[in-house]
Amino acid sequence: MKNIKIWVLGVKQEDTLHDTKVAEASLEKAYLLNELMFPGTKPQFKLVLCYTRKSYDGELKRRTQRWESGMSNKKRIITFAPSVYNRITNNKMGFYQVVLHETNHIFYMNFVGAFTPQWLMEGVASLVDGSDKYYKWTGKPDINSLAFSLKGSDRRGKKDFDITEFYRSSYLATKRIVNEIGVKRLISLLKEYSKQPIKKNYERLFYDFLHKMQVFD
């Protein structure tokens, strides 16, 4: 794909050619699915395939936990190569699901022009990648766990329960909104938010949904 470059890090004896082919097929499928969700968005980015936890940590510039298997920003996705993925991480999601999740983040960031609201960005990606099949999230979202900014969702210094609750609540809150208004209407709201991606505009556009989640189970 012309819009995507693939890099490999920490390679020893693994078959990088096969991994690259698997990654290309996964990216092509993920890209097409996200183009349908975010019309008119065609981001350019690179996929970094790591063959060791050390090389992954080096890219993220911090020590990561075993369950961590993917990261993205506007310009790149970092994950583990398909041939070593299951050996290095115990994340319930497989290689393709992680690529799909992180590709969705890149489309979201480029469509909205911001990383916010963090909970909605994670919630949308979790709906797209089918996280409910792996995590079986149920119940009512915790409004206090719906972080707006990157600072609020930063994993460093937080307990595993708090991190899990952020993802659970983000997924459930987003699912409630989609069930109520549908995906296309949600994308329209995000388009409106993108004109002025600040907290005041976010609160104006999503107040009714957040208020309902606080009141009703």
Side-chain angles (χ1 to χ4, degrees), residues 40-82:
T41 306
K42 294 182 180 294
Q44 295 183 349
F45 59 94
K46 67 181 179 182
L47 171 65
V48 180
L49 298 177
C50 297
Y51 281 81
T52 64
R53 176 65 67 174
K54 183 178 180 180
S55 60
Y56 184 80
D57 290 356
E59 287 298 294
L60 270 64
K61 294 181 173 53
R62 64 179 176 86
R63 186 173 181 178
T64 59
Q65 298 184 57
R66 185 169 170 76
W67 60 265
E68 294 185 71
S69 63
M71 172 272 177
S72 58
N73 54 34
K74 279 188 176 182
K75 295 297 182 181
R76 65 176 180 166
I77 294 172
I78 304 168
T79 187
F80 299 108

Side-chain angles (χ1 to χ4, degrees), residues 1-211:
M1 296 180 66
K2 293 181 180 179
N3 285 13
I4 303 170
K5 295 180 180 179
I6 298 177
W7 290 12
V8 294
L9 295 175
V11 183
K12 291 184 178 179
Q13 297 178 346
E14 285 76 9
D15 184 357
T16 58
L17 180 60
H18 178 264
D19 280 337
T20 300
K21 288 182 177 179
V22 171
E24 286 176 345
S26 297
L27 275 169
E28 184 173 6
K29 186 177 178 181
Y31 201 100
L32 291 173
L33 285 172
N34 282 291
E35 271 190 304
L36 293 174
M37 174 172 276
F38 297 101
T41 306
K42 294 182 180 294
Q44 295 183 349
F45 59 94
K46 67 181 179 182
L47 171 65
V48 180
L49 298 177
C50 297
Y51 281 81
T52 64
R53 176 65 67 174
K54 183 178 180 180
S55 60
Y56 184 80
D57 290 356
E59 287 298 294
L60 270 64
K61 294 181 173 53
R62 64 179 176 86
R63 186 173 181 178
T64 59
Q65 298 184 57
R66 185 169 170 76
W67 60 265
E68 294 185 71
S69 63
M71 172 272 177
S72 58
N73 54 34
K74 279 188 176 182
K75 295 297 182 181
R76 65 176 180 166
I77 294 172
I78 304 168
T79 187
F80 299 108
S83 63
V84 300
Y85 182 90
N86 290 329
R87 173 160 56 85
I88 297 179
T89 181
N90 60 3
N91 194 301
K92 292 182 179 180
M93 294 194 299
F95 176 79
Y96 171 66
Q97 281 70 36
V98 169
V99 168
L100 179 57
H101 183 102
E102 301 302 335
T103 300
N104 184 267
H105 282 343
I106 289 180
F107 270 80
Y108 182 104
M109 293 175 206
N110 281 273
F111 184 80
V112 173
F115 298 88
T116 56
Q118 268 288 298
W119 69 267
L120 190 53
M121 187 173 81
E122 285 297 344
V124 170
S126 295
L127 282 176
V128 169
D129 70 29
S131 287
D132 58 319
K133 297 176 183 177
Y134 305 95
Y135 298 105
K136 308 296 182 184
W137 286 319
T138 58
K140 181 180 179 180
D142 176 14
I143 301 299
N144 295 322
S145 295
L146 301 181
F148 173 77
S149 66
L150 280 168
K151 183 178 179 180
S153 63
D154 193 340
R155 297 170 182 173
R156 287 172 290 189
K158 290 189 177 181
K159 297 179 180 178
D160 286 348
F161 173 82
D162 296 321
I163 297 170
T164 301
E165 185 56 42
F166 165 68
Y167 284 100
R168 187 192 77 89
S169 292
S170 297
Y171 168 80
L172 292 172
T174 305
K175 185 178 180 181
R176 285 193 175 201
I177 294 174
V178 169
N179 286 344
E180 185 172 338
I181 65 174
V183 173
K184 287 186 177 181
R185 177 58 183 148
L186 174 58
I187 298 301
S188 295
L189 284 174
L190 286 173
K191 185 66 174 178
E192 182 67 21
Y193 172 67
S194 72
K195 296 175 182 178
Q196 195 177 17
I198 60 175
K199 195 167 187 180
K200 185 177 181 180
N201 193 31
Y202 153 73
E203 290 172 343
R204 176 181 69 83
L205 291 167
F206 291 92
Y207 172 82
D208 287 344
F209 300 110
L210 295 169
H211 178 68

